[in-house]
Amino acid sequence: AGDLILAAENFENKMIKVGKTVSVERRGDNAFFKANYSDSNSLFILLSYSGETDNLLKIAHRLNEKQLPFVAVTTMGGNSLTELTNNVVYISTREKLINNLGNFSSVLSAMFVLDILYADFVNENQEQALDNKKQVSKLFENKRSSKNPLLEDN
């Protein structure tokens, strides 16, 4: 929810390119429906700076009712979301909810956490991930080029 959706979309973009389906849902109602129709092969990552977003808490409760796993990515200090799971990854807690100059450290922190998840997936599936990316990129980006020799593919 909020600005953390940008970090989630960045993660989705990377994961799709290595052949892993990730779905970022901006709408709380759609996310709730996905929680209802998902099975144990799904993993939900719920991002919330405050950990108090009503729709996200409804989704977390529903996931618990269905005994589906989820990871909460949220701030330290305790909140309603962290009370619903043992799977918590904490992000920077340096910004106030309202008195701030923009959500800088929280977004960077969430991106860092999601980049670690991406790196771990790629590390565990390196050969297949790279093959997937190269194969599909060659089909889609077949005319992409640069005059910069540092960017040339071998």
Side-chain angles (χ1 to χ4, degrees), residues 11-91:
F11 175 71
E12 176 187 36
N13 181 49
K14 290 177 195 164
M15 293 297 284
I16 286 171
K17 289 184 176 165
V18 294
K20 193 69 176 167
T21 301
V22 171
S23 175
V24 174
E25 189 54 62
R26 286 179 169 266
R27 292 181 47 167
D29 59 336
N30 285 348
F32 188 81
F33 275 90
K34 285 180 181 179
N36 276 278
Y37 297 130
S38 293
D39 59 29
S40 61
N41 293 320
S42 301
L43 172 67
F44 282 71
I45 301 173
L46 304 180
L47 288 93
S48 174
Y49 187 72
S50 70
E52 303 296 342
T53 308
D54 286 338
N55 283 342
L56 206 63
L57 293 174
K58 287 178 189 175
I59 295 162
H61 280 290
R62 184 63 182 138
L63 291 169
N64 280 339
E65 289 168 4
K66 291 191 65 179
Q67 298 180 336
L68 294 177
F70 73 92
V71 176
V73 178
T74 189
T75 54
M76 292 181 276
N79 57 52
S80 298
L81 186 58
T82 60
E83 294 172 4
L84 298 173
T85 184
N86 292 324
N87 305 313
V88 180
V89 179
Y90 294 105
I91 59 173

Side-chain angles (χ1 to χ4, degrees), residues 122-140:
V122 168
N123 186 49
E124 292 292 319
N125 305 280
Q126 189 169 15
E127 192 171 310
Q128 185 64 47
L130 184 58
D131 287 346
N132 289 346
K133 169 67 169 83
K134 286 165 63 173
Q135 182 181 22
V136 176
S137 289
K138 283 180 183 177
L139 293 171
F140 185 72

